[in-house]
Amino acid sequence: MEHEMIEKEVARKSVLIYLPISIGVSLLFLLAATLTGDYSLVARVGGSAWVGLLSLIVAMPIVISRVKKQIHVRSQ
């Protein structure tokens, strides 16, 4: 029972960290593509979505493991 509560807390805290990171990276890509390139709207939005998805894939395991480590250290 306690293990489930800890896992829920890890998931909740992790989402609050890696989701803004991914959205921020995606918006940064969109801004950079808009300001520096002469790309179509579809290319900018598609590239932004792709970069957001990739950053989500990369950030998720890193953030989850760090949050787990932080919670286990705090609980001991």
Side-chain angles (χ1 to χ4, degrees):
M1 182 72 169
E2 185 177 318
H3 181 70
E4 289 180 20
M5 297 288 287
I6 290 174
E7 289 297 320
K8 283 183 181 179
E9 184 179 347
V10 167
R12 188 179 49 81
K13 284 188 175 186
S14 298
V15 166
L16 292 176
I17 295 171
Y18 66 71
L19 209 53
I21 290 173
S22 298
I23 292 171
V25 169
S26 177
L27 290 176
L28 190 64
F29 178 85
L30 182 64
L31 181 68
T34 301
L35 294 177
T36 62
D38 191 24
Y39 305 105
S40 67
L41 179 64
V42 173
R44 284 182 277 160
V45 171
S48 178
W50 183 247
V51 167
L53 180 66
L54 290 179
S55 66
L56 185 69
I57 290 170
V58 171
M60 221 185 312
I62 295 170
V63 170
I64 289 172
S65 66
R66 292 192 70 136
V67 169
K68 272 186 183 177
K69 185 184 291 183
Q70 183 184 30
I71 287 178
H72 285 291
V73 167
R74 191 173 13 137
S75 67
Q76 291 178 354

